Amino acid sequence: MCVGIPMQVLSLDGVAARATDGEGEALIDLTLTGPVAPGTWVLTHLGAAREVLDEAEAVKIAAAVRALKSIMAGGGMGDAFADLEARAPALPSHLEAARVAGKTIA
Protein backbone atom coordinates (compact mmCIF):
# COMPACT_ATOMS: atom_id res chain seq x y z
CA MET A 1 0.00 0.00 0.00
CA CYS A 2 1.26 3.47 -0.85
CA VAL A 3 0.41 6.29 1.50
CA GLY A 4 1.03 9.96 0.80
CA ILE A 5 2.03 12.11 3.76
CA PRO A 6 0.95 15.76 3.93
CA MET A 7 3.82 18.06 4.82
CA GLN A 8 4.08 21.81 5.25
CA VAL A 9 6.98 23.54 3.52
CA LEU A 10 9.27 25.40 5.93
CA SER A 11 11.98 26.68 3.58
CA LEU A 12 13.19 26.34 -0.01
CA ASP A 13 16.54 25.60 -1.60
CA GLY A 14 16.11 25.37 -5.38
CA VAL A 15 14.00 22.29 -6.19
CA ALA A 16 14.31 21.01 -2.63
CA ALA A 17 12.48 22.09 0.49
CA ARG A 18 12.58 21.47 4.22
CA ALA A 19 9.12 20.39 5.33
CA THR A 20 7.39 19.09 8.43
CA ASP A 21 4.58 16.65 9.06
CA GLY A 22 4.20 17.91 12.63
CA GLU A 23 6.32 15.05 14.00
CA GLY A 24 9.61 15.70 12.26
CA GLU A 25 11.32 17.45 9.38
CA ALA A 26 12.47 16.09 6.04
CA LEU A 27 14.15 17.30 2.88
CA ILE A 28 11.71 16.85 -0.01
CA ASP A 29 12.01 17.15 -3.79
CA LEU A 30 9.77 19.77 -5.44
CA THR A 31 10.50 18.78 -9.04
CA LEU A 32 6.93 17.59 -9.67
CA THR A 33 5.18 20.58 -8.07
CA GLY A 34 7.62 23.36 -8.87
CA PRO A 35 8.60 25.95 -6.29
CA VAL A 36 6.04 26.70 -3.59
CA ALA A 37 5.98 29.30 -0.86
CA PRO A 38 6.88 28.44 2.73
CA GLY A 39 3.70 27.48 4.57
CA THR A 40 2.30 25.60 1.56
CA TRP A 41 1.01 22.07 2.16
CA VAL A 42 2.11 19.32 -0.23
CA LEU A 43 1.33 15.62 -0.46
CA THR A 44 4.61 13.68 -0.36
CA HIS A 45 5.52 10.13 -1.25
CA LEU A 46 9.01 8.64 -1.03
CA GLY A 47 10.59 12.04 -0.40
CA ALA A 48 8.95 13.89 -3.28
CA ALA A 49 6.08 16.36 -3.28
CA ARG A 50 3.42 15.00 -5.64
CA GLU A 51 0.76 17.71 -5.42
CA VAL A 52 -0.09 20.95 -3.65
CA LEU A 53 -2.87 20.66 -1.05
CA ASP A 54 -5.08 23.19 0.64
CA GLU A 55 -4.88 23.15 4.43
CA ALA A 56 -8.29 21.50 4.93
CA GLU A 57 -7.35 18.55 2.70
CA ALA A 58 -3.94 18.24 4.41
CA VAL A 59 -5.62 18.09 7.82
CA LYS A 60 -8.04 15.35 6.65
CA ILE A 61 -5.24 13.24 5.17
CA ALA A 62 -3.04 13.69 8.25
CA ALA A 63 -5.92 12.52 10.48
CA ALA A 64 -6.38 9.44 8.31
CA VAL A 65 -2.66 8.63 8.45
CA ARG A 66 -2.70 9.00 12.27
CA ALA A 67 -5.72 6.69 12.43
CA LEU A 68 -3.96 4.07 10.31
CA LYS A 69 -0.90 4.25 12.59
CA SER A 70 -3.16 3.85 15.62
CA ILE A 71 -4.97 0.85 14.14
CA MET A 72 -1.65 -0.78 13.22
CA ALA A 73 -0.54 -0.33 16.84
CA GLY A 74 -3.72 -2.00 18.12
CA GLY A 75 -5.64 1.18 18.91
CA GLY A 76 -8.77 2.72 17.47
CA MET A 77 -9.30 5.07 14.56
CA GLY A 78 -11.12 7.79 16.48
CA ASP A 79 -13.16 10.03 14.21
CA ALA A 80 -10.61 10.21 11.39
CA PHE A 81 -12.98 8.58 8.91
CA ALA A 82 -16.22 10.19 10.13
CA ASP A 83 -16.80 11.73 6.69
CA LEU A 84 -16.84 8.23 5.19
CA GLU A 85 -18.87 6.58 7.96
CA ALA A 86 -21.64 9.16 7.59
CA ARG A 87 -22.37 8.30 3.95
CA ALA A 88 -23.34 5.25 2.00
CA PRO A 89 -20.89 3.76 -0.49
CA ALA A 90 -21.26 5.24 -3.98
CA LEU A 91 -20.37 3.86 -7.37
CA PRO A 92 -18.41 6.01 -9.83
CA SER A 93 -20.86 7.84 -12.12
CA HIS A 94 -20.24 5.61 -15.16
CA LEU A 95 -20.92 2.44 -13.12
CA GLU A 96 -24.00 3.96 -11.47
CA ALA A 97 -25.38 4.81 -14.92
CA ALA A 98 -24.82 1.20 -16.02
CA ARG A 99 -26.52 -0.11 -12.86
CA VAL A 100 -29.52 2.17 -13.36
CA ALA A 101 -29.75 1.02 -17.01
CA GLY A 102 -29.86 -2.57 -15.80
CA LYS A 103 -26.54 -3.57 -17.32
CA THR A 104 -24.53 -6.29 -15.66
CA ILE A 105 -21.17 -5.20 -14.36
CA ALA A 106 -18.67 -8.02 -14.62
Side-chain angles (χ1 to χ4, degrees), residues 1-52:
M1 174 173 70
C2 298
V3 177
I5 307 297
M7 299 190 84
Q8 190 171 34
V9 173
L10 299 172
S11 62
L12 299 165
D13 185 11
V15 295
R18 273 247 157 275
T20 182
D21 63 357
E23 296 180 13
E25 290 185 16
L27 184 65
I28 60 172
D29 181 351
L30 297 175
T31 303
L32 296 175
T33 61
V36 296
T40 301
W41 286 93
V42 292
L43 187 63
T44 66
H45 179 68
L46 298 175
R50 305 295 183 173
E51 72 179 275
V52 175

Side-chain angles (χ1 to χ4, degrees), residues 32-91:
L32 296 175
T33 61
V36 296
T40 301
W41 286 93
V42 292
L43 187 63
T44 66
H45 179 68
L46 298 175
R50 305 295 183 173
E51 72 179 275
V52 175
L53 300 172
D54 63 41
E55 185 175 7
E57 188 70 8
V59 168
K60 281 176 36 177
I61 295 169
V65 170
R66 282 192 306 276
L68 289 173
K69 286 179 182 178
S70 175
I71 290 166
M72 290 171 63
M77 67 178 167
D79 65 351
F81 298 101
D83 61 322
L84 299 177
E85 292 174 349
R87 67 176 175 86
L91 289 171

